[in-house]
Amino acid sequence: MSIGIKISNLKKMSLKKATSTFLQPKFVYIPLISQNDTNITLMVKKGDYVFKGTVIGKRKGNFRIPIHSSVSGTVVGYEEHTHLNGEKIKCVVIENDFKEKYEERKGIKKILNRFTTEQFVEMLKECGIVGMGGSGFPTYIKYSTNKRIKTLIINASECEPFITADCALVKDKCEEILEVIDAIIDIFHIEECFIAVRKDNTKIKKIFNDFIGTYLKIKLVDVSSVYPSGWERNLIEDVKKVSYKKEPIEKGIIVNNVSTMYAIYEALKMEKPLIERIITITGDAIKKPQNILVKNGTLIKDILEEIKGLNSCRSIKFVAGGPMTGISLPSNDLVVTSNLNCVLVLKNPNITKESDCIHCGKCVGVCPAKLSPVIIKDNINKEKILSDLQVNRCIECGLCSYICPSKIDVREYVKKAKENLNKRR
Amino acid sequence: MLEYQVDKGPHIKNHDTTRKIMFRWLIALLPIILFSFYKNGIKLYIDKDVNFLGMFRPLIMIFIACIGSIISEFLSQLILFKKRDKELKKSMSRFDSFFPGLFLALMLPIHTPLLYIFIIIFITVILSNVILKIFKYNILNSALLSKVIILVCFSSIILNNGGYLNTTDIKNSIKNVPLTNSTTMNSIGDYQSLVKPYGNLWDFFTGNIPGTIGETSTILCLLAFLYLIIRKSIKWRIPLVYVSTVFVITWMIGGYHELGIWYPLFQILSGGLIFGAVFMATDTKCTPTTPIGQILYGLFLGIITTLIRYLTPFPELSIASVLIIDCFVILLDRVGAKARFDFHKSIWLFVLAWLLILVVGMSITLVKVKENPKNVEPNKQEEIKKENKEEIKVEQVEEKSITQLITTDFTVVEKDITNNIATYVVSQKAKMGDIKARIVINNGRLTTFIILDQHESDYQKLESENYVNKLVYNQDNLANYPDVEGAKETSQSVKKLVINTLKDYNNK
């Protein structure tokens, strides 16, 4: 049983319209950042002509994922724009020539499982596939392991409120997703595969059930509709009833997001790098909330103009990411990257007032990682006690701050405790 | 210009606030307040035992206690924490500054003088705020500390005004609240003596028994508990574990003395245990926040409560065990936090608690056996018989020398001897009529002596000195026991009752 609480869904507003596209931006601003590291070597300079898919930056350290250009055109210069982690990052500005040219003509493969495991991992690395559920973790690392992979779990639950990007993708591309899952099962000789969907998500279940009958090894599984049901540990508890210590590969399990599966499909079929994705633009300040397919590096400002902008209001809250894990930004300057899955704009938000802690214990009862946030808050300066309380288990889901009746931001205290503890080591 | 708001927490909030939680506690307490007003005010006015103003006494007590606690909280926020204007308004609007006063008033006997309530709650709220400022942890439950101080320091003043009993109870010739009554019999007795004088167990459940003004009604407390659980505003594990522990220990003690299931039920339903468990032991500021910490808290509370009930002369203060355990809440919380990942780290505390339960149960049983010898081995029985015979001889010798004490105005109305227990209903002529009493003799020892009916004018003096129970304690030396000053004849009539009954028993 996964621990968590039910939060109101608020997903209906973004599913009313069909998925639209915005694939013709005039300028593209590619941020030079990879896994929160800005130490990138540039491979192009000002005035160069780049093709769609050219590598324009490479990371120096481990886990090398190349940064691709998402359009063909000329490099015009460098500017600074805000990334989804809240900081201003240097970006390469490319002027689009609207020709959508690749460097070499790439063929289309008909059968997807003619890869060895090494070729598969290499292809994932070259095309820059990262986790598209918001984590941004390079996917090839999960598959480059010596251990035997017994189970593959596909996360289609999308537990955070407001976000419907995965649901919109599955509506259109269900057959392709099932094809690639089947190919991966053949390549790695996996025994079983589960697709995890929330119990109350009847739309997606209907779509899957139409096509899943032909695939004997793939099964559809219900998980609970509480908030962090898409967290790895909760998902594995619900589906396989086991728990692991550090990584799920100890028990032979791999968990992947369903949008990542579609990106792997395009990489295997057409050698296409990860340069576009679906994001959800929603909130009660948006005139027409919808899901939209955009390229990496597009400015959100341009997208908002395209979809007819905001309702009139005095003040807004502009959030990059979901409502529980996202950060609110001081302006609407934001670029699209592979790990951004939602932009939330709220109308006329109230300023909440903090009061004293009453030690009611609700934050302890609600934490999915079994921590005790109120005790961490009271002992924020005492090192010995903090190291016993295993602060590093925190996944920053935000439930402790959500449920506090005194409106204290408890998650900030836990984050600070983590920082203090890791600095000393 | 569009304004952008920036903050860090989650961007959707739930609508529960501290004020709403406190408001729910107030709603849960309303039936109890109304019942206390009815039982100690309206009912007495209907029976014409008090005048119109006396009808409002419970409400006046609650009002004065709340005022005292609000004023004290305001002053301490102003002076100790140095808050001004907006912050002061925010602290006071948290809607919980009157709760210590409300809880204190519901836990006091009806004849408490109003001035002392005000002064003591004023002092303890300031004291708890001082502790909060120095230690940054709140470990003092101000309502409980006030109750303990009032009942320990001012008990004689309260008793002089009438004690726990309102005028209807005195009219019905009830002597004590149920728990004090049981303490005079060493807490072990039979259904007749412990429960019957107040009705049956259903009366205990609904609250038709004498006691403090708010604690008696169990069913209203349970309804409040259910309401708060449904609205998720209470730490429900603590009362559950607390009451179960007391039930289990008293069941063990009762089982040794072959008392039925009514005995643990009687212990739970009397003495305001359920009120204290639901409202005092779950006070949010001073109790553990982790689930395992709460379970351990309940276990240790149950152990200390039974110890206080059986081994000290203040059974009504058994809820003071909360004050003792509150000092260890920080330790319990740390153990509970570590035990969320690794249950093994808390096992030693559970084992300690269960061992203590066994030890406490057995030791109380053994202590009470010494004072109430019932299941005694045959060798010891012969020794006791010999002792009894010697005492009877002594008594007979003394009786001969003071023949004027024995008269012929003594009648036995009812007599019932089964096994070794003899139950007598006897009547003795006295100054202004007959004194009627029930006497129970167990294995040759007088265990119960209750006056059923009397018409003496100076009986009040005997009552205020608890003369009747003192006679039971001094049954070996009755003839020489001094009389009550100013009520000589009545005391002698009462003594005659006992001596004649014993004589009748020994002549059987």
Side-chain angles (χ1 to χ4, degrees):
Chain A
M1 263 311 287
S2 39
I3 312 178
I5 52 175
K6 263 204 154 167
I7 308 183
S8 51
N9 237 330
L10 304 161
K11 295 200 188 212
K12 279 196 189 151
M13 60 168 89
S14 48
L15 284 175
K16 280 189 196 154
K17 280 185 67 174
T19 315
S20 42
T21 57
F22 178 59
L23 293 170
Q24 316 261 330
K26 269 200 211 149
F27 287 95
V28 168
Y29 307 80
I30 311 270
L32 294 172
I33 182 170
S34 173
Q35 273 86 259
N36 273 339
D37 183 14
T38 47
N39 203 358
I40 310 277
T41 25
L42 262 183
M43 315 281 283
V44 295
K45 57 183 190 302
K46 191 168 171 179
D48 279 357
Y49 184 82
V50 287
F51 290 97
K52 191 165 154 181
T54 318
V55 176
I56 58 173
K58 259 200 179 160
R59 190 176 167 205
K60 280 189 193 143
N62 289 330
F63 302 164
R64 292 184 210 173
I65 294 273
I67 303 179
H68 302 275
S69 159
S70 52
V71 294
S72 54
T74 23
V75 176
V76 168
Y78 307 100
E79 276 181 21
E80 290 221 327
H81 287 282
T82 321
H83 182 68
L84 93 95
N85 64 359
E87 296 167 7
K88 283 217 180 265
I89 308 283
K90 180 171 158 190
C91 306
V92 174
V93 186
I94 303 178
E95 183 172 1
N96 196 355
D97 66 356
F98 299 108
K99 285 189 193 153
E100 311 285 332
K101 262 206 249 174
Y102 280 103
E103 192 157 354
E104 330 156 319
R105 290 223 64 192
K106 315 206 179 191
I108 297 187
K109 288 209 178 51
K110 276 211 173 154
I111 304 181
L112 291 180
N113 55 0
R114 294 239 176 98
F115 286 91
T116 61
T117 49
E118 288 87 9
Q119 285 173 346
F120 180 82
V121 169
E122 198 55 39
M123 179 67 76
L124 250 51
K125 195 171 170 182
E126 274 180 22
C127 296
I129 310 283
V130 295
M132 297 186 46
S135 64
F137 187 73
T139 316
Y140 81 90
I141 296 174
K142 284 190 184 175
Y143 286 99
S144 58
T145 166
N146 297 331
K147 300 202 182 135
R148 179 79 203 274
I149 304 177
K150 290 191 215 147
T151 319
L152 177 65
I153 301 183
I154 308 290
N155 180 6
S157 68
E158 204 160 36
C159 47
E160 207 161 343
F162 283 112
I163 306 183
T164 46
D166 289 346
C167 191
L169 182 67
V170 169
K171 260 197 211 172
D172 299 330
K173 309 277 182 189
C174 181
E175 294 185 57
E176 287 90 337
I177 293 176
L178 289 172
E179 208 182 309
V180 75
I181 296 177
D182 199 37
I184 296 181
I185 293 179
D186 284 337
I187 296 176
F188 285 92
H189 309 292
I190 299 178
E191 291 169 11
E192 52 183 4
C193 170
F194 297 101
I195 301 187
V197 240
R198 270 181 299 119
K199 267 188 212 159
D200 52 359
N201 198 350
T202 40
K203 272 189 205 168
I204 235 186
K205 279 202 235 181
K206 224 196 298 180
I207 301 171
F208 268 123
N209 275 329
D210 285 340
F211 297 105
I212 210 168
T214 47
Y215 299 96
L216 298 170
K217 282 198 171 178
I218 308 179
K219 299 194 189 84
L220 209 57
V221 162
D222 278 347
V223 287
S224 54
S225 328
V226 298
Y227 163 51
S229 64
W231 177 38
E232 246 179 4
R233 276 187 203 263
N234 267 353
L235 208 58
I236 295 180
E237 278 269 348
D238 262 350
V239 172
K240 287 288 288 178
K241 321 265 189 285
V242 293
S243 62
Y244 59 92
K245 281 199 187 144
K246 276 199 179 159
E247 290 168 356
I249 195 66
E250 294 166 16
K251 308 272 180 172
I253 303 177
I254 287 192
V255 180
N256 264 145
N257 190 322
V258 70
S259 303
T260 319
M261 283 290 128
Y262 185 69
I264 296 181
Y265 170 82
E266 292 196 320
L268 291 183
K269 192 133 185 138
M270 302 172 282
E271 276 189 57
K272 181 175 170 187
L274 182 54
I275 52 174
E276 57 191 29
R277 66 160 297 150
I278 294 186
I279 65 175
T280 313
I281 303 197
T282 173
D284 50 4
I286 305 275
K287 266 197 191 144
K288 297 191 180 176
Q290 57 192 272
N291 289 306
I292 189 163
L293 179 65
V294 289
K295 286 198 199 267
N296 270 356
T298 321
L299 268 186
I300 298 285
K301 223 189 294 189
D302 299 336
I303 303 177
L304 282 178
E305 276 175 25
E306 178 78 13
I307 61 173
K308 311 265 171 43
L310 308 172
N311 287 329
S312 58
C313 37
R314 278 172 290 120
S315 63
I316 60 168
K317 205 190 249 199
F318 189 85
V319 181
M324 301 292 286
T325 49
I327 306 181
S328 60
L329 299 174
S331 66
N332 63 355
D333 172 37
L334 178 67
V335 283
V336 174
T337 41
S338 321
N339 47 356
L340 176 74
N341 56 0
C342 170
V343 171
L344 180 63
V345 189
L346 294 169
K347 188 168 76 164
N348 292 336
N350 294 330
I351 305 178
T352 46
K353 303 175 196 166
E354 255 189 42
S355 53
D356 304 325
C357 174
I358 58 171
H359 286 89
C360 62
K362 286 192 178 198
C363 52
V364 177
V366 97
C367 178
K370 300 206 183 154
L371 290 176
S372 314
V374 64
I375 303 182
I376 296 176
K377 174 176 89 72
D378 285 336
N379 292 311
I380 191 93
N381 293 320
K382 303 180 189 167
E383 295 278 335
K384 268 193 220 169
I385 301 172
L386 280 184
S387 57
D388 270 338
L389 292 171
Q390 298 196 22
V391 193
N392 281 322
R393 281 172 153 235
C394 172
I395 55 170
E396 302 183 13
C397 63
L399 273 179
C400 44
S401 306
Y402 174 78
I403 200 137
C404 178
S406 304
K407 309 296 175 215
I408 301 181
D409 200 357
V410 192
R411 180 173 62 167
E412 282 306 306
Y413 285 96
V414 184
K415 273 197 209 170
K416 211 165 116 188
K418 264 207 265 190
E419 266 178 44
N420 285 350
L421 211 57
N422 291 332
K423 251 191 234 170
R424 297 294 172 105
R425 283 194 189 157
Chain B
M1 263 311 289
L2 206 54
E3 202 188 301
Y4 284 79
Q5 186 190 325
V6 178
D7 63 44
K8 287 211 173 159
H11 307 290
I12 47 173
K13 300 267 189 203
N14 71 338
H15 298 289
D16 211 8
T17 59
T18 316
R19 290 188 75 189
K20 285 191 191 173
I21 294 181
M22 293 301 164
F23 196 64
R24 280 179 212 139
W25 278 65
L26 183 62
I27 292 180
L29 277 171
L30 265 178
I32 297 178
I33 297 176
L34 290 174
F35 180 74
S36 80
F37 178 38
Y38 169 72
K39 180 169 171 268
N40 292 298
I42 297 183
K43 207 162 143 197
L44 301 181
Y45 182 65
I46 292 178
D47 292 342
K48 301 226 170 51
D49 285 325
V50 289
N51 54 0
F52 187 71
L53 214 56
M55 176 167 87
F56 288 104
R57 194 180 163 102
L59 292 183
I60 295 178
M61 280 170 71
I62 294 177
F63 184 69
I64 288 198
C66 291
I67 296 270
S69 124
I70 291 179
I71 293 180
S72 168
E73 177 83 23
F74 180 74
L75 283 178
S76 60
Q77 294 285 343
L78 192 66
I79 299 177
L80 270 182
F81 293 106
K82 303 210 175 77
K83 294 195 180 173
R84 299 278 183 271
D85 297 336
K86 264 192 189 171
E87 284 185 6
L88 189 61
K89 210 175 165 185
K90 197 169 61 171
S91 295
M92 290 306 291
S93 75
R94 215 174 53 201
F95 206 65
D96 67 344
S97 33
F98 63 87
F99 271 107
L102 180 60
F103 285 133
L104 172 65
L106 288 175
M107 289 200 293
L108 287 177
I110 184 141
H111 288 290
T112 322
L114 299 173
L115 187 63
Y116 295 129
I117 303 181
F118 184 84
I119 294 179
I120 299 288
I121 191 71
F122 191 85
I123 295 177
T124 42
V125 171
I126 291 188
L127 190 64
S128 91
N129 276 319
V130 165
I131 290 186
L132 177 64
K133 182 157 190 204
I134 296 180
F135 294 109
K136 306 265 168 59
Y137 277 101
N138 199 344
I139 54 173
L140 191 63
N141 191 336
S142 33
L144 264 185
L145 186 64
S146 315
K147 171 179 171 167
V148 168
I149 292 179
I150 289 180
L151 287 182
V152 166
C153 301
F154 304 119
S155 61
S156 49
I157 303 181
I158 298 176
L159 274 179
N160 273 344
N161 289 350
Y164 286 83
L165 312 168
N166 55 24
T167 37
T168 309
D169 297 326
I170 294 183
K171 201 170 75 168
N172 293 341
S173 55
I174 296 183
K175 301 297 169 298
N176 282 316
V177 284
L179 212 55
T180 322
N181 189 22
S182 99
T183 310
T184 58
M185 297 182 237
N186 286 322
S187 309
I188 312 276
D190 53 342
Y191 191 83
Q192 296 281 27
S193 47
L194 288 181
V195 177
K196 202 61 187 296
Y198 304 100
N200 52 9
L201 277 179
W202 180 251
D203 282 327
F204 276 78
F205 196 61
T206 52
N208 271 328
I209 52 170
T212 58
I213 61 175
E215 282 178 343
T216 47
S217 171
T218 310
I219 191 169
L220 292 178
C221 292
L222 284 180
L223 284 176
F225 185 48
L226 275 177
Y227 171 70
L228 287 173
I229 289 185
I230 293 175
R231 300 294 254 139
K232 299 196 186 165
S233 313
I234 192 173
K235 298 178 181 173
W236 54 271
R237 294 180 181 89
I238 298 178
L240 214 62
V241 176
Y242 181 14
V243 174
S244 318
T245 316
V246 174
F247 187 89
V248 162
I249 300 184
T250 47
W251 195 12
M252 284 201 302
I253 297 174
Y256 184 79
H257 290 276
E258 288 166 22
L259 305 169
I261 195 76
W262 61 269
Y263 184 69
L265 282 177
F266 162 73
Q267 288 287 341
I268 288 183
L269 296 175
S270 64
L273 180 75
I274 298 215
F275 181 90
V278 170
F279 293 109
M280 287 281 104
T282 56
D283 184 28
T284 52
K285 293 192 204 104
C286 333
T287 43
T289 49
T290 50
I292 291 187
Q294 290 172 2
I295 295 178
L296 285 169
Y297 187 72
L299 277 175
F300 285 114
L301 266 186
I303 295 170
I304 297 192
T305 299
T306 33
L307 273 176
I308 292 183
R309 266 201 184 180
Y310 280 88
L311 299 178
T312 64
F314 300 114
E316 290 283 333
L317 289 180
S318 52
I319 197 65
S321 48
V322 172
L323 287 175
I324 300 177
I325 296 277
D326 266 351
C327 307
F328 299 101
V329 161
I330 301 179
L331 168 70
L332 288 176
D333 251 347
R334 298 252 178 90
V335 169
K338 285 187 221 169
R340 288 199 91 196
F341 330 114
D342 256 336
F343 189 65
H344 321 292
K345 293 202 178 171
S346 67
I347 286 254
W348 64 276
L349 266 179
F350 274 104
V351 167
L352 179 67
W354 289 327
L355 271 179
L356 271 180
I357 288 178
L358 274 177
V359 164
V360 162
M362 285 189 337
S363 58
I364 292 181
T365 319
L366 289 174
V367 165
K368 296 298 177 189
V369 161
K370 253 198 215 169
E371 299 174 8
N372 278 354
K374 185 187 161 174
N375 297 335
V376 188
E377 295 161 19
N379 293 340
K380 287 190 183 170
Q381 228 170 12
E382 282 179 21
E383 280 180 357
I384 290 177
K385 267 194 184 163
K386 273 189 197 166
E387 280 176 15
N388 279 348
K389 280 188 187 157
E390 284 172 14
E391 284 170 2
I392 294 172
K393 277 185 201 160
V394 167
E395 268 188 40
Q396 283 174 346
V397 164
E398 286 183 356
E399 275 175 24
K400 277 182 195 166
S401 62
I402 40 172
T403 44
Q404 65 252 36
L405 281 180
I406 301 175
T407 65
T408 50
D409 297 320
F410 170 75
T411 45
V412 175
V413 177
E414 262 178 51
K415 184 160 131 181
D416 174 39
I417 302 184
T418 48
N419 299 334
N420 281 324
I421 306 178
T423 313
Y424 282 87
V425 177
V426 290
S427 168
Q428 166 80 36
K429 188 169 176 198
K431 191 165 75 175
M432 291 184 175
D434 277 347
I435 302 182
K436 204 172 170 188
R438 181 193 299 130
I439 296 184
V440 176
I441 301 183
N442 192 338
N443 261 336
R445 308 279 307 165
L446 195 73
T447 56
T448 313
F449 179 21
I450 302 178
I451 304 276
L452 296 174
D453 188 32
Q454 48 81 22
H455 304 283
E456 305 297 296
S457 59
D458 47 5
Y459 187 70
Q460 285 287 339
K461 292 185 191 155
L462 266 79
E463 234 188 2
S464 62
E465 281 204 16
N466 214 3
Y467 191 65
V468 157
N469 284 325
K470 285 183 185 169
L471 283 184
V472 173
Y473 287 153
N474 291 291
Q475 57 186 277
D476 303 325
N477 200 9
L478 272 174
N480 290 336
Y481 194 72
D483 302 328
V484 174
E485 268 178 73
K488 190 173 159 198
E489 289 193 25
T490 317
S491 327
Q492 287 193 349
S493 312
V494 169
K495 275 196 284 186
K496 274 184 225 171
L497 247 189
V498 178
I499 294 176
N500 288 333
T501 317
L502 275 176
K503 196 176 164 207
D504 184 276
Y505 177 78
N506 292 323
N507 287 343
K508 65 172 167 27

